Amino acid sequence: MASVEYIPARLRSAFREQARGIVVHDIERMWRDEGFAPGSGQSFSGVRMSLWSDYEASVQWSDWEHVVRVLRVYEGTIALATPDDREKLAGLLSREGFRLVSSGRIEYIGAGNRITEVTRTRILEHLKKTPGGRNWAGRFDPPEFLKRLYDLAAMPSEDPRFENAELDVWQHCVNNDDWDFDWVFYDARFDLASDGMLLRFLAEMLHPAVRTDPEDVAALLGGLNDALRPDGYELYEKSSISGRPLYAWRSIAGFHGSAPVHLLQNRPAITDPAVLQEHLDRIKRVIEIDPSAAIGSCKELIESLCKLILEYSSVEYTRNDDLPKLYKKVAALLALNAESVEENVRGSEASHLVLRALTTSVQGIAELRNQLGLGHGRTTRSTLRPRHARLALNSTVTVAEFLLDTWHARIEAGKIPTPGDDPSTGACKQ
């Protein structure tokens, strides 16, 4: 299996290009400060870009330790850039799975795009062979369709004869009809190189106002989902209008291999989800490259969640309470054993078996952390692999999601103390 290169070629190219505006001394200083020596890189017309390329030649792009040092070089580059260039580089970093924070540091948050070139090719091939697929605009002309997604009048024209994209697209897609059907997928103005915009575009192609024949929609939908599924996405029926389905997109990757993106959404009892989100972000960053750290964050996420739930109802816990003890207090507060399935004794008994397994999962995560993770000042190298971290993450998500759902259900039913209740009496606010 090929090694993952954490910094893609187009991002490297952008920073190499930025070297044109940096003096040679600063280029040498930034790279040498991070322990890199020049190798034999690609030759460019400019001395500065060639020097930059020589230093790049000594980087192992699949070695995370090397990548961290390169990111420090990039931070120095951004610090020397003009405000406009800084903004452009920040935007490019964001699209490639990195984030430039206010302190000037660059953080890795995971690849922003999962849809590969292979999948994009399959999508275009499906459109070519599917009846009506070439006409991605459906019953509209291309400018009308694109205006459903973009402000064409405010977008630039690539034809000097016209003042905006709307007139440009009309000229070449309606008046002259001299652009190939797939031009829009390669036009940078429409950002279809990003997963989110491409998926939104494909979903809009299936809108009942765009396509009126259900059979055409079904044919397009099936092929598009066949292409998208290996990359962890699908188009699905989200709602309806006038009896016809409206489509949206969603991730179907589950929680395997990356942090869940919806776990903390629509959780009103969590007034400040930042502490939990930090754990999720950390897991996503390191699950493939540092499984020990990911497992530690899994354990810490459940600990933090348990403490939030207990603090919400003013239930005391001590600094010495370990994860199993915290979970036991939360289980008592939420009456997990007594009311797992309301008004159904047998259902509650069966659910109790599952809950006991959840408790075992929590304890297992703590033990996995202790035995194989980063804790307790280990003196030997961890033997953990990404599969162990994914096991911990999946168990963590199962427990956390159940606790969050049950917690909010108990709050809505008025069955647990909430802020403002008198904890000494256990009375719940009505």
Side-chain angles (χ1 to χ4, degrees):
M1 183 179 295
S3 299
V4 175
E5 294 191 346
Y6 295 100
I7 301 180
R10 52 181 170 267
L11 185 56
R12 299 179 219 167
S13 177
F15 276 90
R16 188 187 313 120
E17 183 71 26
Q18 193 67 25
R20 293 181 185 275
I22 306 175
V23 299
V24 168
H25 171 74
D26 283 337
I27 293 175
E28 292 177 331
R29 174 185 55 78
M30 289 190 298
W31 283 97
R32 288 188 182 277
D33 283 352
E34 295 302 328
F36 291 105
S40 180
Q42 185 177 355
S43 178
F44 290 89
S45 57
V47 172
R48 298 169 184 178
M49 286 185 65
S50 294
L51 177 61
W52 186 281
S53 177
D54 286 343
Y55 278 102
E56 284 184 315
S58 65
V59 178
Q60 298 177 30
W61 299 101
S62 59
D63 185 324
W64 182 247
E65 187 271 335
H66 276 227
V67 169
V68 169
R69 289 154 53 200
V70 172
L71 293 180
R72 302 295 82 82
V73 175
Y74 287 0
E75 289 167 2
T77 304
I78 290 174
L80 297 172
T82 65
D84 285 346
D85 285 345
R86 191 177 301 122
E87 184 178 353
K88 291 177 183 177
L89 291 171
L92 181 57
L93 283 164
S94 177
R95 291 193 292 275
E96 299 298 346
F98 296 84
R99 174 171 55 205
L100 179 64
V101 298
S102 57
S103 65
R105 302 283 289 182
I106 298 173
E107 297 179 349
Y108 179 69
I109 57 176
N113 284 346
R114 299 205 306 261
I115 299 179
T116 66
E117 181 181 2
V118 172
T119 294
R120 293 173 187 276
T121 300
R122 288 187 64 192
I123 289 171
L124 293 179
E125 289 177 347
H126 177 61
L127 295 181
K128 288 178 183 179
K129 69 182 182 182
T130 304
R134 283 179 176 268
N135 183 20
W136 41 262
R139 68 181 189 87
F140 296 108
D141 61 37
E144 288 179 312
F145 175 84
L146 291 173
K147 283 195 289 186
R148 299 171 64 89
L149 298 169
Y150 307 92
D151 183 1
L152 292 186
M155 296 172 66
S157 170
E158 292 191 342
D159 188 324
R161 295 174 297 172
F162 306 107
E163 63 183 18
N164 58 43
E166 182 175 1
L167 297 175
D168 182 15
V169 174
W170 182 87
Q171 173 66 23
H172 292 282
C173 292
V174 180
N175 193 34
N176 286 349
D177 192 19
D178 56 2
W179 282 355
D180 292 337
F181 95 97
D182 58 353
W183 68 270
V184 69
F185 295 94
Y186 303 103
D187 192 319
R189 292 176 294 179
F190 300 96
D191 196 28
L192 297 187
S194 70
D195 285 5
M197 198 63 234
L198 175 62
L199 291 162
R200 185 180 172 197
F201 185 96
L202 297 177
E204 192 66 23
M205 286 175 53
L206 305 175
H207 194 287
V210 177
R211 279 183 165 72
T212 58
D213 188 339
E215 293 185 1
D216 288 347
V217 171
L220 274 177
L221 177 64
L224 291 175
N225 276 340
D226 285 345
L228 292 168
R229 196 167 290 113
D231 291 342
Y233 291 114
E234 72 173 358
L235 302 171
Y236 73 103
E237 185 177 337
K238 182 179 182 180
S239 58
S240 64
I241 180 172
S242 301
R244 296 287 304 280
L246 291 175
Y247 290 93
W249 64 270
R250 64 187 173 194
S251 173
I252 57 172
F255 306 118
H256 299 268
S258 62
V261 294
H262 302 298
L263 183 62
L264 303 181
Q265 294 181 2
N266 300 317
R267 306 291 189 181
I270 304 178
T271 56
D272 183 9
V275 64
L276 299 179
Q277 189 61 52
E278 285 178 4
H279 295 312
L280 291 175
D281 291 342
R282 192 176 302 114
I283 292 167
K284 183 175 182 178
R285 287 197 301 269
V286 303
I287 192 167
E288 296 294 333
I289 59 175
D290 194 347
S292 297
I295 288 177
S297 293
C298 286
K299 171 179 173 285
E300 291 159 10
L301 187 153
I302 299 183
E303 286 179 336
S304 296
L305 176 57
C306 287
K307 290 175 181 178
L308 285 174
I309 294 173
L310 296 174
E311 289 172 1
Y312 182 88
S313 293
S314 301
V315 176
E316 293 184 355
Y317 60 88
T318 71
R319 293 180 58 185
N320 295 326
D321 283 348
D322 58 12
L323 180 52
K325 287 182 180 178
L326 289 169
Y327 183 85
K328 186 175 181 179
K329 290 182 179 182
V330 169
L333 172 66
L334 300 183
L336 297 183
N337 295 344
E339 300 181 39
S340 302
V341 182
E342 287 81 353
E343 300 180 0
N344 189 315
V345 175
R346 288 192 174 182
S348 291
E349 291 174 350
S351 181
H352 179 53
L353 296 175
V354 178
L355 291 171
R356 283 196 298 182
L358 289 176
T359 305
T360 302
S361 295
V362 176
Q363 294 171 331
I365 291 169
E367 184 65 19
L368 189 60
R369 158 70 169 171
N370 293 339
Q371 296 298 323
L372 298 175
L374 291 172
H376 305 291
R378 291 180 58 83
T379 59
T380 58
R381 186 174 181 271
S382 172
T383 57
L384 284 168
R385 296 292 181 265
R387 65 179 182 272
H388 301 116
R390 286 192 290 270
L391 173 63
L393 174 59
N394 293 330
S395 299
T396 297
V397 169
T398 301
V399 174
E401 189 170 47
F402 185 85
L403 291 181
L404 284 165
D405 289 345
T406 305
W407 183 31
H408 283 83
R410 298 289 189 260
I411 292 171
E412 291 176 0
K415 293 185 176 181
I416 63 172
T418 60
D421 293 341
D422 183 353
S424 65
T425 64
C428 295
K429 212 172 28 172
Q430 297 297 323

